[in-house]
């Protein structure tokens, strides 16, 4: 493996750096974007229980805010519910915007790696072919080992760029899809909360939906 990397030339260094970066981001985001950590399915049902039992006080709201991103969104709505539907929705949207930004952290970097790694491989290919033609001009076509070295460098960097870029692209699409699903769920839970607190929906029905 080390010999292959060395044969690829200096362009293998940034490609390897990209692979480490992509792996780190992928593992960290898949671990962070677990639904149980971002948007627990039973969280809204717990809020309904607090409301029915008249336990929804500042301590509960503080606990809710510290629990998860969805908890912070719901807490923002609860804290501003007495100001009317519009203010409540605006406060929820403001907090949700920040939470979505946090959920999408590093995804742009992962997408950049997915796009750049194959281009780095292509650049390595160009350098390898330049080397081949330079040797041809200097020594003719008699030095087969020199020509093979340049062609090998070209092929190795191309393959390495694709090996890094393809999984990075798949991971980026998968993570973006996961973020979208979490955002939709959080929006649905927030709408249920607004409807209940503003009198457009019964708590019992919403509690059943949240289960």
């Amino acid at each position: 493996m080390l010999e292959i990397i060395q044969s690829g030339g200096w362009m293998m260094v940034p490609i390897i750096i990209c692979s480490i970066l992509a792996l780190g981001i992928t593992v960290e985001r898949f671990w962070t974007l677990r639904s149980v950590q971002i948007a627990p399915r039973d969280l809204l049902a717990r809020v309904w229980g607090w409301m029915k039992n008249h336990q929804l006080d500042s301590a509960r709201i503080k606990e809710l805010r510290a629990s998860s991103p969805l908890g912070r969104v719901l807490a923002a709505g609860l804290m501003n519910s007495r100001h009317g539907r519009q203010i409540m929705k605006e406060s929820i949207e403001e907090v949700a915007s920040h939470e979505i930004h946090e959920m999408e952290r590093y995804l742009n970097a992962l997408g950049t790696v997915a796009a750049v790694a194959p281009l780095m491989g292509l650049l390595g290919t160009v350098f390898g072919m330049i080397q081949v033609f330079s040797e041809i001009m200097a020594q003719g076509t008699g030095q087969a080992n020199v020509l093979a070295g340049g062609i090998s460098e070209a092929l190795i960097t191309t393959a390495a760029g694709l090996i890094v870029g393809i999984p990075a692209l798949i991971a980026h699409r998968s993570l973006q899809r996961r973020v979208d699903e979490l955002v939709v769920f959080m929006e649905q839970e927030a709408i249920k909360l607004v409807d209940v607190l503003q009198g457009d929906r019964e708590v019992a029905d919403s509690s059943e939906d949240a289960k």
Side-chain angles (χ1 to χ4, degrees):
M1 180 62 71
L2 182 59
E3 292 179 358
I4 294 176
I5 293 174
Q6 292 175 341
S7 300
W10 67 271
M11 278 303 299
M12 290 295 292
V13 174
I15 292 176
I16 291 173
I17 293 174
C18 284
S19 69
I20 296 172
L21 183 63
L23 179 61
I25 293 174
T26 300
V27 172
E28 189 275 339
R29 285 292 89 186
F30 270 112
W31 175 258
T32 301
L33 295 176
R34 292 169 295 156
S35 59
V36 67
Q37 180 170 322
I38 300 295
R41 296 283 172 176
D42 64 338
L43 187 59
L44 189 59
R46 274 187 275 161
V47 174
W48 299 150
W50 295 340
M51 292 173 63
K52 287 182 178 180
N53 298 324
H54 305 288
Q55 297 175 336
L56 190 60
D57 53 15
S58 59
R60 291 290 190 182
I61 292 178
K62 184 177 180 180
E63 176 186 341
L64 182 64
R65 190 188 297 115
S67 65
S68 64
L70 176 58
R72 287 187 281 276
V73 171
L74 298 180
L78 291 169
M79 293 174 63
N80 292 275
S81 60
R82 63 183 180 278
H83 299 301
R85 171 181 287 272
Q86 188 61 34
I87 299 298
M88 185 178 178
K89 289 180 65 176
E90 288 177 359
S91 63
I92 287 175
E93 290 171 357
E94 181 179 349
V95 175
S97 176
H98 172 74
E99 296 300 333
I100 292 170
H101 178 74
E102 290 297 313
M103 289 161 58
E104 292 178 339
R105 179 183 293 181
Y106 308 132
L107 292 190
N108 284 339
L110 183 60
T112 301
V113 169
V116 169
L119 295 179
M120 288 182 177
L122 180 59
L123 184 59
T125 299
V126 173
F127 287 150
M129 297 310 297
I130 290 174
Q131 178 182 338
V132 170
F133 287 112
S134 296
E135 294 297 333
I136 289 176
M137 292 177 62
Q139 304 180 26
T141 57
Q143 300 291 331
N145 60 332
V146 175
L147 301 181
I151 295 173
S152 174
E153 178 179 336
L155 296 177
I156 289 172
T157 54
T158 300
L162 292 174
I163 288 172
V164 174
I166 292 172
L169 179 61
I170 294 172
H172 179 264
R173 295 290 177 85
S174 299
L175 288 167
Q176 190 63 62
R177 175 64 178 176
R178 178 171 294 191
V179 170
D180 292 342
E181 290 174 349
L182 290 170
V183 169
V184 169
F185 178 74
M186 291 170 67
E187 288 177 349
Q188 291 174 342
E189 298 295 271
I191 290 172
K192 293 175 185 177
L193 180 68
V194 172
D195 288 345
V196 168
L197 294 181
Q198 299 304 322
D200 296 334
R201 184 184 297 201
E202 294 296 331
V203 173
D205 294 339
S206 298
S207 179
E208 291 175 0
D209 293 338
K211 292 181 180 179

